[in-house]
């Protein structure tokens, strides 16, 4: 379609931003229940003038392993000239604590807060509002504007599933991406840790602990030896080795079906389920940390034997939650972001993220992605609020990123 079709759109109503954000926050759509919010986003986009046929569902839900009602929404906004599009992304789901959220605009504080005992869901309906208002303003923009792709992901809060299973072929080969998910607008997150979850099933051999302890092989002993070994090797908790840093934890020890480890004090424990995680800004190092746990468990199992030489056994599995990434400080995307922030009257700075973001997967898909905020604070708690001044700055920053060079 050419530009002319975007002409004759109605002007933006007064308080468009506030009302839009209030509608988005009021919509149900916790993680894994995105049906209503996906529908609302689609309708809001159409209402500001986005042609319905430019909005597609990438059917990521068919590739995500947990039940999800719809895929990611991808929107292509045609610019005034050919060229690779810029990607703007955000997640549409909220944490379960936001279920039933009712927002209240506290005008004297210029904040939106939750009326009841739920979290608000400013994380990340602020991002959805930024992208929708960006579309609305771009469509009313005279003169030169680039091709833009908008991406609203599902299932971010429950494990970054939407971004991971994104159909990148629908994005139009973006040159770079900006992800809206945070508080301060000009705090650009240029890297984040990667994380891996692991678990092991330790099969010991039961025996009467008083009468024939030597006929048993204790799963508890295997786990204890392994954890001690990991600790002695410097792989437990904060990990600093060979100039690299990371962290690890053993979070959960349980028996069969999530019950206690062992059933009686007089039985040599025949089973233990152990679960933990590894993190680092360096993907290789994440794997190294996990490997230290696997090696320690396997060698401990070989050490714990019955009197006839039967050993305990270990079955080890690990799974990447998200990949680490780090965008170099001198890269073009950071220069562009700083220019746009300065033009918007903000003081830009760079940060590293400690948790996973959709950007972890977007970068893994080959698209550099910087994350910035639009006023969400105290996220995932009932004290959550949106700072409306920051929200407006986030909206202006998005427009400047889209239009600036
Ligand atoms: Zn978020």
């Amino acid at each position: 379609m050419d530009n002319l079709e975007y002409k004759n759109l109605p002007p933006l109503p007064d308080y468009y931003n506030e009302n839009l954000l209030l509608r988005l926050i009021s919509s149900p759509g916790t993680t894994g229940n995105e049906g209503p919010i996906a529908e609302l986003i689609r309708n809001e986009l159409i209402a500001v003038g986005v042609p319905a046929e430019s909005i597609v569902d990438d059917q990521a839900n068919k590739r995500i392993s947990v039940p999800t009602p719809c895929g990611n929404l991808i929107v292509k906004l045609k610019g005034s000239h050919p060229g690779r599009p810029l990607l703007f992304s955000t997640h549409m789901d909220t944490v379960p604590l936001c279920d039933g959220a009712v927002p209240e605009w506290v005008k004297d504080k210029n904040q939106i807060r939750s009326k009841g005992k739920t979290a608000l869901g400013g994380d990340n309906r602020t991002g959805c509002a930024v992208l929708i208002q960006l579309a609305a303003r771009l469509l009313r923009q005279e003169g030169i504007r680039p091709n833009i792709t908008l991406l609203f992901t599902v299932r971010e809060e429950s494990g970054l599933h939407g971004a991971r299973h994104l159909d990148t072929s629908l994005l139009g080969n973006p040159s770079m991406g900006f992800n809206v998910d945070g508080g301060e607008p000009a705090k650009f997150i240029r890297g984040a840790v990667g994380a891996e979850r692991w678990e092991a099933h330790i099969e010991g051999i039961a025996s009467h602990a008083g009468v024939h302890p030597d006929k048993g092989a204790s799963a508890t002993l295997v786990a204890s030896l392994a954890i001690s070994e990991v600790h002695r090797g410097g792989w437990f908790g904060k990990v600093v080795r060979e100039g690299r840093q990371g962290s690890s934890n053993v979070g959960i020890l349980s028996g069969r079906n999530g019950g206690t480890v062992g059933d009686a004090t007089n039985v040599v424990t025949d089973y233990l389920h152990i679960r933990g995680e590894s993190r680092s800004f360096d993907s290789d190092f994440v794997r190294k940390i996990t490997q230290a746990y696997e090696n320690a468990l396997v060698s401990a199992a070989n050490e714990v034997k019955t009197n006839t030489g039967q050993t305990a056994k270990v079955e080890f599995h690990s799974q990447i939650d998200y990949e680490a990434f780090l965008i170099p400080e001198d890269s073009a995307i950071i220069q562009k972001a700083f220019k746009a922030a300065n033009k918007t009257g903000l003081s830009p700075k760079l940060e590293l993220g400690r948790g996973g973001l959709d950007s972890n997967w977007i970068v893994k898909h080959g698209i550099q992605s910087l994350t910035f905020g639009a006023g969400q604070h105290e996220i995932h708690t009932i004290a959550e609020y949106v700072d409306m001044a920051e929200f407006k700055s986030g909206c202006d920053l998005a427009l400047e990123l889209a239009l600036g060079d």
Side-chain angles (χ1 to χ4, degrees), residues 32-366:
N33 303 292
E34 289 89 346
I37 184 64
E39 182 71 23
L40 179 62
I41 290 169
R42 182 186 291 270
N43 290 338
E44 294 284 356
L45 286 164
I46 292 169
V48 298
V50 176
E53 62 273 19
S54 314
I55 309 170
V56 296
D57 176 325
D58 79 343
Q59 313 225 311
N61 52 325
K62 296 189 175 157
R63 301 179 289 278
I64 294 173
S65 56
V66 280
T68 312
C70 56
N72 305 305
L73 278 189
I74 297 171
V75 184
K76 290 225 189 92
L77 301 173
K78 199 167 158 44
S80 56
H81 54 282
R84 293 173 73 182
L86 287 175
L87 174 69
F88 285 85
S89 63
T90 196
H91 66 89
M92 67 169 93
D93 59 320
T94 57
V95 290
L97 191 61
C98 298
D99 191 22
V102 178
E104 183 177 29
W105 184 12
V106 185
K107 288 187 188 174
D108 57 332
K109 290 194 171 147
N110 206 17
Q111 291 177 349
I112 292 178
R113 290 190 166 270
S114 165
K115 253 187 190 167
K117 291 254 171 284
T118 71
L120 181 67
D123 173 15
N124 197 5
R125 300 296 163 72
T126 50
C128 299
V130 168
L131 265 56
I132 294 167
Q133 70 78 39
L134 176 63
R137 289 162 84 177
L138 284 172
L139 295 183
R140 287 159 181 78
Q141 186 75 32
E142 298 290 329
I144 292 175
R145 57 188 167 80
N147 291 318
I148 298 283
T149 301
L150 306 178
L151 166 65
F152 301 83
T153 64
V154 292
R155 280 265 186 204
E156 192 267 359
E157 296 288 6
S158 40
L160 314 181
H161 298 287
R164 180 179 194 157
H165 295 285
L166 170 66
D167 183 349
T168 53
S169 72
L170 299 173
L171 299 177
N173 192 23
S175 57
M176 59 178 74
F178 296 96
N179 182 47
V180 190
D181 191 2
E184 265 182 75
K187 194 172 86 180
F188 295 100
I189 299 175
R190 71 177 180 102
V193 288
E196 190 164 53
R197 244 181 297 179
W198 56 263
E199 63 168 350
H201 301 278
I202 306 172
E203 296 281 351
I205 295 164
S207 174
H208 193 291
V211 183
H212 292 298
D214 51 330
K215 288 188 179 176
S218 168
T220 309
L221 183 58
V222 172
S224 307
L225 288 170
I227 294 169
S228 307
E229 178 58 28
V230 165
H231 170 64
R232 273 195 293 269
W235 297 103
F236 193 94
K238 183 173 178 178
V239 186
V240 183
R241 296 173 75 99
E242 301 145 16
R244 302 201 277 183
Q245 283 202 29
S247 66
S248 78
N249 187 41
V250 173
I252 301 163
L253 301 177
S254 55
R256 286 189 207 284
N257 305 317
T260 59
V261 177
D263 303 312
T265 58
N266 63 358
V267 180
V268 174
T269 356
D270 67 341
Y271 177 80
L272 190 149
H273 186 209
I274 177 170
R275 286 190 275 166
E277 61 152 47
S278 316
R279 293 180 188 223
S280 173
F281 285 102
D282 176 334
S283 289
D284 276 355
F285 200 52
V286 173
R287 249 139 262 160
K288 270 203 138 170
I289 297 170
T290 304
Q291 191 65 51
Y293 279 90
E294 181 171 6
N295 293 346
L297 282 160
V298 169
S299 82
N302 286 328
E303 195 182 327
V304 176
K305 298 179 181 158
T306 67
N307 57 359
T308 58
Q310 263 187 293
T311 65
K313 288 192 170 55
V314 168
E315 201 187 297
F316 190 92
H317 303 279
S318 62
Q319 181 199 318
I320 293 170
D321 277 346
Y322 37 88
E323 294 276 3
F325 75 98
L326 196 59
I327 296 172
E329 287 191 37
D330 59 356
S331 54
I333 187 171
I334 289 176
Q335 286 168 19
K336 178 178 172 63
F338 272 49
K339 243 190 223 174
N342 286 324
K343 256 189 132 171
T344 316
L346 301 164
S347 311
K349 55 184 171 201
L350 293 172
E351 293 261 327
L352 298 174
R354 296 263 148 217
L357 292 162
D358 276 349
S359 287
N360 289 62
W361 284 108
I362 294 171
V363 172
K364 179 75 182 164
H365 294 316

